[in-house]
Amino acid sequence: MTQHTLEIVVTCDEGYLGPLRTMLLSLRANNRAVSIRVWLLHRGIPQAALESLALFCGRIEIELAPRMVDQALFAHARSSERYPQEMYYRMLAPHVIDADIDRALYLDPDILIINPLTPLFDIELGDRIFAAASHTDAIHPATALNNVRLNTSELYFNTGVILMDMPRAKALIDPDEIFAFAMEHERKLLFPDQDIFNALYSECTLPVPDQVWNFDARKYPDNIIRTGGEATLDWVINNTAILHFCGRDKPWAPKYRGQFAALYKHYATLARRI
């Protein structure tokens, strides 16, 4: 299938609007030939900040569709500093977005898009409802640990990038099931939203290569070893579509010294100029 509009889902608060702008600029810069609509799911970003973001998006020819999430959805949800409401938003997107769309791609704000996304949107899902990447090999000990911890048999998927078949995801996802699982397994959850997605939906998720669709920027040296020397910097620039700055150290921090610091600062500077 070829989807003529890239439907992108993001969630953040006002504090992450700067990184979001950088991600959106990189998205547009490397997806010139398609229309893009961004669904921003939020709890209460001030109107002035939304208007400023809409102006920015207009200048780079991206349609912004902000949606304030209905708080009634969370009447039975476990919510705290460790379990903020926003952690649920990516899984609830099929229920929150009020539009008839076939596929949507959820993206964390701490991402750069450095090659076209159309091949991911066009991927054949078969009987799967989602597509995502795992950041550990199937034989990695962390995979076995996560399988035991969450009672799963699939790869452990990173939820910073999730392609969703929206109609089928809406039929599958039950918000009350998500909230009940979070409450029942609170002590087991190390990465709450990611653990919940894997426990409930990993069997419905198609694995895609992380080197292309969710490259963990921290693991550049590991990926060179894992790929037998193939995933060099030139290979990443030419083949990776989604570069993900996972973990606590973020590329917009002044002291960040990661492999792709200069690339990130380039896009961030361009975004600030707009």
Side-chain angles (χ1 to χ4, degrees):
M1 64 173 291
T2 297
Q3 189 160 313
H4 297 292
T5 298
L6 299 186
E7 305 283 0
I8 305 295
V9 179
V10 297
T11 68
C12 71
D13 58 18
E14 186 178 9
Y16 255 74
L17 290 180
L20 177 61
R21 289 178 184 230
T22 300
M23 187 270 278
L24 294 179
L25 178 65
S26 71
L27 170 64
R28 170 46 80 199
N30 293 288
N31 292 270
R32 292 285 189 182
V34 292
S35 61
I36 300 172
R37 177 164 52 179
V38 172
W39 301 89
L40 171 57
L41 310 187
H42 67 100
R43 190 186 338 195
I45 295 174
Q47 186 61 32
L50 290 175
E51 290 174 359
S52 176
L53 180 62
L55 181 62
F56 172 85
C57 288
R59 288 175 174 168
I60 60 173
E61 298 183 333
I62 286 178
E63 178 186 352
L64 181 67
R67 293 293 182 273
M68 186 181 294
V69 178
D70 185 354
Q71 296 303 291
L73 272 173
F74 298 93
H76 304 103
R78 172 77 169 88
S79 183
S80 66
E81 183 176 351
R82 183 166 183 258
Y83 289 76
Q85 285 186 11
E86 286 82 359
M87 80 175 197
Y88 299 109
Y89 288 2
R90 72 195 73 191
M91 288 179 281
L92 298 179
H95 291 278
V96 174
I97 294 174
D98 52 344
D100 183 17
I101 58 179
D102 292 325
R103 290 184 174 186
L105 181 65
Y106 171 81
L107 295 172
D108 275 350
D110 57 347
I111 273 173
L112 284 182
I113 307 301
I114 59 174
N115 275 299
L117 294 181
T118 302
L120 180 57
F121 274 85
D122 288 347
I123 199 168
E124 179 57 57
L125 287 174
D127 61 352
R128 306 294 179 102
I129 296 174
F130 310 99
S134 171
H135 281 158
T136 55
D137 296 329
I139 60 172
H140 193 283
T143 299
L145 177 62
N146 287 325
N147 288 343
V148 171
R149 186 169 59 86
L150 301 173
N151 192 28
T152 61
S153 58
E154 304 291 329
L155 293 171
Y156 184 80
F157 295 103
N158 180 276
T159 55
V161 179
I162 311 173
L163 180 69
M164 306 180 185
D165 181 311
M166 294 295 274
R168 291 197 290 161
K170 185 174 183 179
L172 172 69
I173 293 171
D174 178 355
D176 287 337
E177 181 185 26
I178 292 173
F179 303 147
F181 185 92
M183 188 171 297
E184 182 179 350
H185 298 88
E186 179 177 357
R187 294 184 179 180
K188 287 185 182 179
L189 303 181
L190 301 179
F191 309 100
D193 51 341
Q194 194 159 270
D195 284 351
I196 294 168
F197 177 88
N198 278 275
L200 297 179
Y201 309 123
S202 61
E203 292 184 354
C204 306
T205 303
L206 178 73
V208 295
D210 65 326
Q211 294 102 325
V212 178
W213 300 118
N214 193 344
F215 190 104
D216 186 340
R218 299 171 300 179
K219 297 184 177 180
Y220 173 72
D222 294 345
N223 273 294
I224 289 184
I225 296 170
R226 194 172 73 163
T227 60
E230 180 182 359
T232 62
L233 182 59
D234 284 343
W235 188 96
V236 171
I237 295 300
N238 288 314
N239 294 279
T240 294
I242 299 174
L243 188 59
H244 192 178
F245 294 88
C246 304
R248 292 184 179 181
D249 293 334
K250 297 303 182 185
W252 53 86
K255 294 184 179 180
Y256 183 79
R257 295 294 182 269
Q259 181 72 36
F260 301 97
L263 181 63
Y264 189 90
K265 292 180 188 303
H266 168 70
Y267 281 107
T269 298
L270 293 178
R272 284 195 298 270
R273 288 175 182 169
I274 294 172

